[in-house]
Amino acid sequence: MSIRLPDAGGGLRTYEPRTEPLALTTGAPFTSRTVFSAAHVVADPFADTSPDSPAAVDWDATLAFRRHLWSHGLGVAEAMDTAQRGMGLDWAGAAELIRRSAAEAKAVGGLIACGVGTDQLTGPATLAEVRAAYEEQLALVEASGARSILMASRALAAAASSPEDYLEVYGHLLRQATEPVVLHWLGPMFDPALDGYWGSSDLDAATDTFLEVIAAHPDKVEGIKVSLLDAQREIDIRRRLPQGVRCYTGDDFNYPELIAGDEKGFSHALLGIFDPLGPLAAEAVRILDTGDVAGFRSLLDPTVELSRHLFRTPTRFYKTGVVFLAWLAGHQSHFTMVGGLQSARSLPHFARAYELADGLGLFPDPKLAQERMKTLLALYGVPQ
């Protein structure tokens, strides 16, 4: 049965949905790459909240989605940007999310790493206050038993006056960490408040400072996550890493080529797009585990158009598309987001996301996805 979808020009077009999903199954653990999905949170749709009030999370649905990712062999990168850190989910909510997800991971044997930031700071802060905020979050993640991901800090970007300030703060934290951590460089396309991170808006200079931090503490850096949407820069950084330090791509525009790699190396993955792509991404990595790079690319390359659509400018609102697809796929019963962020994208954007995801066979129940898409269209007054 066809469905009428709006297009960017204000008209309507007819689309014929798939009748069967892509055949995907769970399988053996990955052997060639470590792969994390940065997972979203499911809001509680019945909570009496406003955009300015603390987040209300449906914990059962949120943890069920993490079990879905673990069942396909993916690790969960918890309390990251995809979980709306700094965009609806405050530190109190993130701390609860970390505790609950880490306990669930322990119960089911799932791989988990959690974001460590400074978002408990809500106003101007000194460097000492930034360090203390990082320390509080690092202690919580370590106590939970999860790996730590040192996230980029808005407060540090505002407080730092030179590259040396970054070297001092990160050096202090790495010396204090009990286990090696992942360093996360999130670009301003994801968060404009992070412009000039590592002490310079010149990316070459910023890269040098980033690598200086790692070179000074290679035993405390398990890996890095680079989210700059610049494939060549990631490759250049990857080739300059000390032996044993991994690169996890965070490039939602160029991930197939970066994960596949070249004769000089490859990237592991820590990606927001692997939230909606979880089972397909897992299948692709298992193909790569056999050495079949062409097979890996043939399965994953067609997903890039969807990813680039979800992460289009303003990129920070990609979370809306991720949650929308989770609703269509049946992973949650509603399309409501923390902070009301479901309003952050347009109806034509949703329509194209549905069409691309359906074309890839991502929906376990295409009929359910179509019915839910029609429900959304009806709310916007689109006749069928």
Side-chain angles (χ1 to χ4, degrees):
M1 184 182 296
S2 64
I3 183 171
R4 300 178 76 196
L5 299 175
D7 58 32
L12 292 174
R13 53 194 167 81
T14 299
Y15 174 68
E16 296 289 339
R18 292 176 65 125
T19 58
E20 297 292 335
L22 187 65
L24 298 170
T25 60
T26 58
F30 308 142
T31 58
S32 66
R33 304 290 189 274
T34 300
V35 181
F36 289 93
S37 165
H40 73 281
V41 292
V42 182
D44 179 353
F46 302 122
D48 186 10
T49 60
S50 70
D52 295 329
S53 62
V57 176
D58 181 336
W59 294 113
D60 289 342
T62 293
L63 294 176
F65 187 75
R66 280 134 183 83
R67 291 193 296 272
H68 155 72
L69 294 172
W70 285 319
S71 75
H72 286 276
L74 298 161
V76 169
E78 189 55 275
M80 302 293 291
D81 186 53
T82 309
Q84 294 180 242
R85 289 286 292 268
M87 290 185 70
L89 189 72
D90 61 12
W91 167 235
E96 183 69 10
L97 178 63
I98 289 166
R99 284 190 288 262
R100 287 175 179 262
S101 291
E104 193 73 15
K106 188 178 298 183
V108 303
L111 177 63
I112 189 169
C114 298
V116 171
T118 63
D119 45 333
Q120 66 269 59
L121 300 173
T122 58
T126 65
L127 289 176
E129 289 169 333
V130 170
R131 284 196 305 272
Y134 264 129
E135 288 170 345
E136 177 189 359
Q137 297 200 15
L138 179 63
L140 185 144
V141 171
E142 290 186 337
S144 78
R147 300 186 190 184
S148 298
I149 304 170
L150 291 188
M151 302 169 68
S153 162
R154 293 176 179 174
L156 180 55
S161 59
S162 68
E164 287 70 29
D165 288 338
Y166 288 88
L167 294 171
E168 192 280 327
V169 169
Y170 276 93
H172 175 84
L173 294 169
L174 290 172
R175 287 189 296 271
Q176 185 169 309
T178 58
E179 299 290 340
V181 308
V182 174
L183 295 183
H184 184 194
W185 184 358
L186 190 70
M189 67 289 295
F190 289 92
D191 187 344
L194 299 177
D195 187 36
Y197 211 74
W198 304 111
S200 178
S201 295
D202 181 305
L203 288 180
D204 290 336
T207 297
D208 288 343
T209 302
F210 181 53
L211 290 169
E212 187 175 347
V213 169
I214 299 165
H217 308 276
D219 59 322
K220 286 298 186 74
V221 181
E222 185 269 329
I224 63 168
K225 178 183 186 291
V226 182
S227 299
L228 298 175
L229 304 183
D230 182 338
Q232 189 56 54
R233 182 167 296 277
E234 178 175 322
I235 291 169
D236 292 343
I237 293 173
R238 187 173 75 195
R239 292 176 178 172
R240 295 172 63 186
L241 291 175
Q243 185 71 28
V245 176
R246 294 178 170 185
C247 179
Y248 292 92
T249 187
D251 188 332
D252 300 277
F253 282 7
N254 304 291
Y255 50 93
E257 65 187 85
L258 291 165
I259 297 170
D262 54 31
E263 69 282 357
K264 295 183 179 180
F266 57 82
S267 294
H268 300 270
L270 198 167
L271 289 160
I273 193 57
F274 280 6
D275 178 304
L277 292 184
L280 187 153
E283 180 75 11
V285 174
R286 289 191 180 93
I287 292 171
L288 184 60
D289 285 345
T290 70
D292 184 0
V293 176
F296 166 80
R297 294 294 298 267
S298 69
L299 188 57
L300 206 57
D301 281 0
T303 69
V304 171
E305 185 177 6
L306 171 63
S307 188
R308 292 190 175 211
H309 177 72
L310 296 184
F311 285 77
R312 66 187 294 183
T313 303
T315 302
R316 64 188 181 278
F317 294 123
Y318 76 88
K319 280 83 83 174
T320 300
V322 165
V323 176
F324 170 66
L325 294 182
W327 172 56
L328 294 185
H331 294 299
Q332 54 194 78
S333 62
H334 59 86
F335 180 36
T336 304
M337 295 180 66
V338 170
L341 207 64
Q342 67 271 14
S343 65
R345 293 293 200 188
S346 69
L347 185 61
H349 182 88
F350 293 135
R352 184 59 177 156
Y354 163 72
E355 183 178 10
L356 290 170
D358 180 75
L360 292 167
L362 293 185
F363 301 129
D365 184 343
K367 184 178 180 181
L368 173 65
Q370 182 180 0
E371 290 173 350
R372 289 186 169 184
M373 187 69 219
K374 285 185 174 180
T375 297
L376 182 69
L377 291 167
L379 289 175
Y380 279 81
V382 178
Q384 293 297 316

